[in-house]
């Protein structure tokens, strides 16, 4: 390798990666692409916080839910009575075909319904009204235990008495609606505060929300912070902190809040509009719409686009929920679903398929290439032949066929998109390993008696990583375009889950140009950014290029 | 060559075995099966028997590859009645369509080849025609405005997803905006009334957008490779020697540089061709052209196992031929390479 003048003037203290980073830092487009990608991934990960039909926080009385729960008390008691009227064997015979519910299960499920109903009621009832309900639930639990213990007669008698109690509770806790009719008698409910949006987040989502910050910060530190003068210590355990923290947050979430669906009220917006839900205050996300939520504005052009909504478009009746000031920034599709919201959620599918499929193909490709390159001989022959065969297939045909026949789930798509594209990386790895295995450090590692996996993964792989990194970056872009093409042809994830390619497909009528333009533009931008990043890394790692 | 061929058949066969259930299940019980599923058990059993789906894998594979037919009416060696002893892939038998049993898949593919191959070849030719001069000119004027602008445009084109390019071309040139070109099909509805020349121009007009779509990706890929390859060569010592001799820049690049960088670019033919055939699924379904791609799409939509398998094998064969041609061409261009 020839040295350029600049390198002679600088002290040769910096290592290879330091130099690579320095070069990358100078590429403005690389920075730009990285920021855009971070933004896209952030949007995808934080999608539920940006666009959702559930509010962040809500202090409200849910009259609809309360009334349903109040009636449920008596209905569930009746149900219990019904089950207890039969002997276990009678019950087993009378089951609907296909049911695997045992006698005890039937009893406990009625009990559970009751517990849920009472929990809902307690949220809105003043404290002093709680004891009768608690007592009632305890009595029911005792009855159920008796019933499960084969003391059916006693249980039945107890439940018969409880029926009267349930009836009494039902009348006693009728809700008063001072907002509608000041004269109604009944219990005055108090508003309950809940955080429905946060309650609906899953542990996995929380994991990625935390991890995203670590990734962004570490990328930022790598490329934009001043390099320190000190010699950087090897960070072998650098991944532990981010991954550990994210996992911990996910786990804590899973154990505390994650499974809490009791505060779920499915239709917050329609509830508020129709008066079933009376809110003291309510905070919705910036875009108060879910990704599958329909509206009456079918095929509405973008709100900034000056085009009068024709009468024909007004007529649609796909959903009758009131979105009084609904302004679709990117327009809506044929079911009146907001394209912006769907694009935000679609990013999750599209971006994750690109990444995961690349991870899969990298693992397969590196393994196959490393084995072929290191061992040579028969192994090499076999793997090279396999590569030759796989290369012959137009990848897209193969992927299409398998996805269609195996099933259009997200997991299948990720695996299949990864599975048939490993040949590029395998060839690169093979070439690199062929070169490396003759070098002194590998011979030395062998002479030291290190195990083969250790030599391959710890000693050779890090020295072969540059071309692989570049290839992997490009392959994320390729995976993303393959996934979007799949979805565009209608073989992607199934409706109503959005993915960018599938969104383009939702109307091919040229009059609805916004549907074809915007999601496609997002795909284009993401692919472009990945290509920019890959290009920049390749140039930065190329030892022959001056500068 | 032969091992690769066998490998292709094994891989296609193996991949299709991964499918849960068998083709019969797929066809009769898929969620969106086009058949109505009442009173179907009998048809199912018959379909299984006719296509050997109830038999061991090696028999299925042999039946698929040929040249023996292993079904009930097949060769007597395998317990058949000997009415139709030969069949299978080796004899070009890819089976029949399910919903149109009178159509053999091979005939249909050959018929549709007349659309796909000219399309792909046109796109390929155009890609080379545009990419080579562009790459050469960029390298000769390295760092000039032209070089930078061409680089940016090529980079943008390189990142455009093919289906989106097709749609955007349709939007731009179709009746919605410019109204210049037809965007659907291979010919106008009333094409039969036109003169021969009229028909010719009509088909040509219909082909412009599909060819353009296919060209975009190939062209961008090629010109990037062309530029990079040429730049690599330009740094070689013999180029410095050529310059030192006092040759003009034009001569240096065209004679010494281009000839040495052309080989790798020509071999890319084998990379681009499968991509073009794969891309034909998209292009042909967007522009509604009756080629192999839209046939594959039809097979996928109908869940027709044999159509999908047939198109996949067939396109793999085409690719193999392309690779072979490339290898030979490479030996012809670069006499240092010899094939025993």
């Amino acid at each position: 390798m020839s040295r350029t003048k600049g390198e002679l003037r600088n002290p040769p203290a910096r290592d290879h990666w330091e130099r690579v980073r320095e070069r990358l830092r100078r590429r403005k487009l690389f920075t730009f692409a990285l920021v855009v990608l971070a933004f896209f991934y952030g949007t995808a990960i934080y999608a539920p916080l940006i666009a959702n039909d559930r509010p962040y926080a809500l202090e409200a009385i849910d009259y609809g839910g309360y009334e349903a729960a109040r009636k449920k008390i008596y209905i569930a008691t009746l149900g219990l009575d019904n089950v207890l009227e039969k002997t276990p064997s009678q019950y087993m015979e009378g089951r609907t075909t296909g049911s695997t519910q045992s006698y005890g299960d039937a009893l406990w499920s009625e009990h559970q319904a009751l517990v849920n109903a009472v929990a809902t009621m307690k949220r809105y009832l003043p404290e002093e009204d709680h004891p009768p309900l608690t007592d009632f639930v305890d009595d029911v639990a005792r009855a159920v235990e008796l019933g499960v213990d084969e003391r059916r007669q006693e249980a039945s008698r107890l439940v018969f008495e409880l029926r009267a109690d349930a009836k009494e509770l039902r009348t006693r806790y009728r809700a008063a609606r001072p907002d509608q009719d000041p004269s109604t008698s009944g219990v005055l409910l108090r508003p309950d505060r809940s955080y429905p949006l946060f309650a609906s987040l899953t542990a996995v989502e929380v994991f990625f929300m935390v991890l995203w910050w670590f990734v962004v910060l570490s990328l930022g530190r790598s490329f934009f912070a001043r390099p320190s003068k000190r010699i950087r210590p090897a960070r072998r355990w650098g991944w532990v902190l981010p991954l550990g923290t994210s996992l911990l947050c996910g786990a804590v979430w899973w154990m505390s809040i994650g499974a809490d669906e009791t505060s779920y009220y499915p239709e917050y917006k329609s509830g508020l509009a129709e008066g079933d839900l009376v809110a003291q205050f309510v905070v919705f996300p910036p875009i108060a719409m879910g990704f599958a939520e329909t509206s009456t504005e079918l095929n509405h052009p973008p709100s900034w686009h000056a085009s009068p909504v024709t009468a024909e478009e007004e007529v649609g009746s796909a959903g009758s929920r009131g979105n009084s000031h609904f302004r679709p920034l990117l327009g809506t599709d044929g079911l009146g679903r907001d394209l912006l919201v769907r694009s935000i959620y679609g990013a999750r599918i599209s971006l994750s398929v690109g990444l995961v499929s690349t991870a899969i193909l990298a693992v397969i490709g590196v393994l196959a290439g490393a084995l072929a390159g290191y061992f040579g001989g028969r192994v090499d022959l076999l793997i090279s032949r396999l590569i030759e065969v796989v290369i012959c297939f137009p990848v897209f045909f193969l992927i299409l066929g398998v996805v269609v026949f195996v099933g259009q789930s997200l997991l299948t798509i990720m695996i299949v998109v990864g599975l048939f594209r490993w040949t590029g990386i395998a060839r690169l790895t093979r070439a690199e390993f062929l070169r490396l295995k003759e070098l002194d450090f590998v011979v030395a590692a062998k002479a030291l008696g290190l195990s083969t996996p250790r030599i391959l993964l710890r000693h050779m792989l890090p020295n072969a990583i540059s071309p692989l990194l570049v290839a992997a970056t490009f392959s994320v872009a390729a995976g993303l375009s393959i996934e979007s093409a799949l979805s565009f042809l209608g073989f992607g994830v199934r409706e109503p889950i959005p993915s960018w390619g599938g969104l383009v497909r939702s109307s091919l009528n040229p009059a609805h140009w916004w549907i074809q333009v915007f999601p496609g533009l997002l795909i284009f931008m993401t692919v472009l950014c990945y290509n920019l990043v890959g290009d920049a890394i390749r140039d930065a790692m190329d030892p022959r290029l001056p500068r | 060559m032969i091992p690769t061929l066998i490998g292709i058949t094994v891989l296609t066969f193996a991949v299709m075995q991964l499918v849960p259930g068998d083709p019969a299940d797929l066809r009769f019980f898929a969620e969106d099966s086009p058949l109505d599923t009442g009173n179907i058990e009998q048809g199912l059993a018959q379909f299984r028997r006719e296509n050997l789906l109830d038999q061991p894998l090696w028999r299925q594979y042999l039946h698929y590859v040929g040249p023996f037919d292993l079904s009930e009416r097949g060769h007597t060696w395998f317990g058949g009645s000997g009415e139709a002893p030969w069949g299978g892939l080796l004899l070009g038998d890819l089976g029949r369509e399910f919903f149109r049993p009178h159509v053999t898949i091979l005939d249909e593919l050959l018929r549709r080849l007349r659309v796909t191959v000219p399309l792909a070849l046109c796109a390929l030719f155009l890609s080379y025609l545009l990419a080579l001069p562009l790459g050469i000119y960029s390298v000769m004027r390295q760092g000039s405005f032209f070089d930078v602008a061409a680089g940016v445009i090529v980079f943008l084109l390189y990142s455009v997803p093919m289906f989106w390019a097709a749609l955007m071309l349709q939007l731009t040139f179709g009746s919605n905006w410019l109204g210049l070109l037809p965007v659907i099909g291979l010919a106008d509805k009333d094409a039969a009334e036109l003169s021969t020349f009229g028909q010719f121009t009509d088909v040509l007009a219909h082909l412009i957008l599909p060819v353009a779509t296919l060209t975009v990706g190939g062209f961008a890929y090629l010109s990037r490779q062309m530029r990079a390859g040429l730049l690599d060569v330009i740094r070689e010592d013999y180029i410095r020697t050529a310059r030192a001799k006092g040759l003009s820049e034009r001569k240096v690049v065209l004679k010494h540089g281009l000839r040495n960088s052309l080989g790798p670019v020509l071999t890319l033919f084998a990379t681009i061709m499968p991509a073009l055939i794969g891309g034909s699924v998209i292009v042909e379904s967007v522009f509604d052209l009756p080629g192999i791609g839209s046939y594959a799409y039809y097979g996928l939509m109908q869940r027709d196992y044999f159509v999908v398998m047939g198109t996949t094998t067939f396109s793999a064969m085409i690719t193999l031929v392309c690779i072979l041609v490339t290898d030979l061409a490479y030996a012809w261009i670069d006499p240092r390479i010899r094939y025993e």
Side-chain angles (χ1 to χ4, degrees):
Chain A
M1 193 198 341
S2 66
R3 284 213 184 129
T4 61
K5 274 181 192 165
E7 278 177 2
L8 282 177
R9 250 185 271 126
N10 284 339
R14 296 169 308 154
D15 66 351
H16 171 64
W17 291 103
E18 201 73 53
R19 235 176 0 243
V20 167
R21 244 177 277 156
E22 174 91 39
R23 282 172 172 176
L24 285 178
R25 224 171 286 146
R26 270 193 247 127
R27 295 263 292 232
K28 291 287 180 302
L29 272 176
F30 171 78
T31 315
F32 172 73
L34 219 55
V35 170
V36 171
L37 282 180
F39 173 72
F40 277 5
Y41 275 94
T43 315
I45 289 171
Y46 282 92
L49 298 188
I50 300 170
N52 211 318
D53 53 352
R54 306 173 190 208
Y56 288 130
L58 173 80
E59 190 162 304
I61 307 171
D62 173 11
Y63 284 107
Y66 179 86
E67 289 296 287
R70 188 174 62 87
K71 285 168 190 154
K72 184 73 192 171
I73 288 189
Y74 186 62
I75 293 170
T77 319
L78 277 188
L80 211 57
D81 198 24
N82 269 341
V83 179
L84 282 171
E85 266 177 12
K86 301 174 196 147
T87 62
S89 54
Q90 274 172 338
Y91 171 77
M92 299 302 260
E93 276 166 28
R95 283 190 309 189
T96 47
T97 44
S99 163
T100 54
Q101 212 180 23
S102 75
Y103 190 66
D105 285 348
L107 290 178
W108 282 119
S109 77
E110 293 290 352
H111 175 254
Q112 189 57 46
L114 203 69
V115 168
N116 289 347
V118 166
T120 311
M121 288 178 68
K122 276 182 181 170
R123 282 171 53 198
Y124 302 107
L125 283 173
E127 289 289 336
E128 65 268 20
D129 284 323
H130 287 187
L133 287 170
T134 318
D135 293 345
F136 178 72
V137 170
D138 289 346
D139 288 342
V140 171
R142 217 171 56 237
V144 169
E145 271 163 24
L146 288 176
V148 175
D149 283 352
E150 312 258 321
R151 288 151 73 187
R152 210 170 48 80
Q153 304 294 331
E154 283 172 59
S156 196
R157 209 173 309 127
L158 187 54
V159 168
F160 189 74
E161 286 164 19
L162 286 174
R163 269 170 62 179
D165 283 356
K167 211 174 221 169
E168 197 241 304
L169 286 174
R170 191 178 63 168
T171 26
R172 180 161 148 209
Y173 287 118
R174 189 189 301 267
R177 298 280 310 252
D179 57 318
Q180 287 183 348
D181 180 6
S183 64
T184 47
S185 60
V187 196
L188 211 55
L189 300 185
R190 50 173 200 162
D192 176 60
R193 181 173 297 190
S194 62
Y195 305 92
L197 196 156
F198 295 105
S200 72
L201 291 181
T202 63
V204 180
E205 283 169 325
V206 173
F207 168 77
F208 282 110
M209 283 176 185
V210 178
L211 190 65
W212 183 77
W213 284 105
F214 279 107
V215 172
V216 167
L217 285 180
S218 95
L219 278 180
R221 201 174 56 184
S222 306
F223 293 112
F224 308 118
R226 289 249 140 256
S228 67
K229 293 279 182 235
R230 286 179 300 138
I231 291 175
R232 187 172 58 86
R235 281 201 308 253
R236 262 177 71 181
W237 305 104
W239 52 273
V240 170
L241 179 73
L243 212 62
T245 317
S246 319
L247 270 178
L248 197 71
C249 290
V252 167
W253 191 272
W254 183 58
M255 286 187 290
S256 56
I257 312 167
D260 178 24
E261 280 287 311
T262 51
S263 62
Y264 178 56
Y265 184 83
E267 312 282 354
Y268 287 99
K269 283 165 64 183
S270 64
L272 284 169
E274 285 156 19
D276 277 347
L277 200 63
V278 178
Q280 234 74 8
F281 76 84
V282 49
V283 189
F284 270 106
I287 309 172
M289 236 185 145
F291 68 83
E293 187 178 337
T294 54
S295 73
T296 50
E297 312 280 354
L298 309 185
N299 291 323
H300 191 287
S303 53
W304 41 267
H305 188 254
S307 141
V309 179
T310 59
E312 176 220 4
E313 277 162 343
E314 290 274 37
V315 167
S317 59
S320 56
R321 297 177 209 158
N323 288 301
S324 48
H325 41 267
F326 174 54
R327 299 183 63 79
L329 201 59
L330 298 186
T332 65
D333 68 4
L335 293 176
R337 296 176 294 194
D338 189 309
L339 205 59
L340 178 62
V341 175
R342 286 181 74 71
S343 298
I344 290 174
Y345 276 91
R348 306 187 124 196
I349 303 289
S350 302
L351 296 177
S352 63
V353 169
L355 268 191
V356 176
S357 68
T358 299
I360 293 171
L361 77 88
V363 170
I364 302 176
V366 165
L367 264 182
L371 292 180
Y374 185 73
F375 289 112
R378 257 185 223 167
V379 184
D380 187 19
L381 192 73
L382 193 77
I383 293 177
S384 300
R385 275 268 176 270
L386 189 62
I387 292 176
E388 253 172 59
V389 170
V390 176
I391 282 178
C392 277
F393 283 95
V395 180
F396 192 60
F397 266 44
L398 212 56
I399 291 175
L400 266 176
V402 176
V403 166
V404 168
F405 285 123
V406 174
Q408 294 166 236
S409 75
L410 180 60
L411 192 69
T412 326
I413 292 172
M414 283 173 172
I415 293 176
V416 172
V417 172
L419 207 57
F420 295 112
R421 295 189 304 130
W422 52 270
T423 47
I425 291 233
R427 283 163 113 190
L428 278 177
T429 318
R430 176 175 170 272
E432 283 293 305
F433 273 57
L434 272 177
R435 182 176 65 85
L436 288 175
K437 78 171 174 185
E438 307 295 338
L439 296 188
D440 288 345
F441 75 95
V442 178
V443 180
K446 257 193 248 179
L448 282 171
L450 298 186
S451 69
T452 314
R454 200 178 165 84
I455 296 177
L456 287 178
L457 297 179
R458 272 243 178 279
H459 293 253
M460 295 175 80
L461 189 57
N463 285 292
I465 206 78
S466 328
L468 301 188
L469 200 62
V470 175
T473 315
F474 285 127
S475 122
V476 177
L480 203 145
S481 12
I482 289 181
E483 189 277 335
S484 52
L486 268 181
S487 322
F488 171 71
L489 289 175
F491 303 125
V493 287
R494 294 207 180 254
E495 282 276 305
I497 301 171
S499 90
W500 285 343
L503 290 182
V504 176
R505 181 191 163 75
S506 50
S507 172
L508 294 179
N509 183 347
H512 307 147
W513 52 270
W514 57 94
I515 293 178
Q516 295 149 47
V517 170
F518 296 122
L521 203 60
L522 289 173
I523 302 170
F524 172 53
M525 278 169 71
T526 318
V527 172
L528 185 68
C529 286
Y530 266 113
N531 286 342
L532 280 174
V533 170
D535 238 32
I537 297 179
R538 184 176 55 198
D539 287 353
M541 283 181 176
D542 192 345
R544 288 170 308 174
L545 283 184
R547 276 180 294 143
Chain B
M1 178 77 186
I2 300 294
T4 316
L5 261 177
I6 297 176
I8 288 174
T9 60
V10 171
L11 193 67
T12 326
F13 189 73
V15 162
M16 286 308 174
Q17 293 301 322
L18 287 180
V19 173
D22 64 15
D25 286 328
L26 280 174
R27 219 123 46 151
F28 290 98
F29 297 121
E31 291 165 57
D32 40 7
S33 164
L35 291 175
D36 104 69
T37 45
N39 190 20
I40 220 107
E41 288 299 322
Q42 200 184 351
L44 191 67
Q46 194 195 345
F47 181 79
R48 284 222 169 93
R49 205 169 53 243
E50 274 172 11
N51 292 289
L52 286 87
L53 296 174
D54 44 1
Q55 297 196 11
L57 278 185
W58 68 268
R59 280 184 71 104
Q60 285 188 40
Y61 177 70
L62 202 60
H63 178 73
Y64 162 63
V65 173
F68 303 109
D69 190 317
L70 269 63
S71 65
E72 283 169 1
R73 297 167 59 243
H75 202 281
T76 40
W77 288 2
F78 297 95
S81 64
E83 281 169 61
W86 312 107
L89 206 57
L90 277 178
L91 301 179
D93 176 14
L94 291 170
R96 283 163 186 282
E97 279 184 31
F98 184 72
F99 295 103
R100 298 183 300 179
H102 56 281
V103 179
T104 58
I105 293 172
L106 186 72
D107 287 348
E108 188 70 20
L109 279 175
L110 289 176
R111 198 171 64 78
R112 284 163 177 263
L113 214 55
R114 285 185 304 195
V115 176
T116 305
V117 166
L119 265 183
L121 286 182
C122 276
L124 197 72
F125 180 70
L126 271 179
S127 305
Y128 274 102
L129 198 67
L130 292 173
L132 292 190
L134 189 76
I136 295 166
Y137 196 75
S138 294
V139 169
M140 282 170 75
R141 299 262 186 285
Q142 225 188 117
S144 70
F145 174 75
F146 177 84
D147 182 28
V148 175
V152 170
I153 291 173
V154 163
F155 202 85
L156 290 178
L157 290 182
Y158 182 65
S159 307
V160 176
M162 193 185 264
F163 72 91
W164 196 58
L167 285 175
M168 290 303 105
L169 284 174
Q170 271 191 342
L171 268 186
T172 317
F173 291 99
S175 55
N176 200 38
W177 192 15
L178 292 180
L180 281 179
L181 292 168
V183 294
I184 286 284
L186 203 54
D188 262 351
K189 283 194 293 284
D190 44 3
E193 296 159 18
L194 294 169
S195 62
T196 320
F197 180 71
Q199 282 186 4
F200 179 71
T201 47
D202 181 49
V203 171
L204 216 58
H206 278 86
L207 286 184
I208 290 178
L209 290 185
V211 168
T213 311
L214 282 172
T215 309
V216 164
F219 156 69
Y221 180 68
L222 262 180
S223 53
R224 274 167 63 85
Q225 298 290 335
M226 181 70 211
R227 187 173 181 277
L230 205 51
L231 275 180
D232 270 357
V233 170
I234 291 290
R235 289 200 207 100
E236 295 284 339
D237 288 341
Y238 57 81
I239 297 289
R240 195 177 301 137
T241 314
R243 287 209 176 108
K245 281 197 301 187
L247 291 183
S248 67
E249 184 67 19
R250 186 192 185 83
K251 242 187 185 149
V252 170
V253 173
L254 287 184
K255 277 212 150 156
H256 294 71
L258 183 61
R259 285 203 180 171
N260 284 295
S261 65
L262 211 53
V265 175
L266 282 187
T267 43
L268 287 178
F269 167 68
T271 320
I272 295 179
M273 204 57 189
L276 287 180
I277 291 174
S280 70
V281 183
I282 293 168
V283 171
E284 285 170 13
S285 63
V286 171
F287 291 103
D288 197 21
L289 302 174
I292 295 186
S294 58
Y295 193 49
Y297 184 70
Y298 162 83
L300 291 167
M301 289 304 276
Q302 302 288 333
R303 300 290 191 267
D304 195 324
Y305 178 87
F306 294 107
V307 170
V308 173
M309 205 148 136
T311 36
T312 310
T313 320
F314 195 73
S315 48
M317 300 289 172
I318 296 180
T319 317
L320 195 63
V321 171
C322 291
I323 291 175
L324 197 70
V325 169
T326 323
D327 283 354
L328 293 178
Y330 204 51
W332 179 64
I333 290 169
D334 190 345
R336 284 171 299 180
I337 295 173
R338 283 269 165 272
Y339 285 99
E340 291 91 60

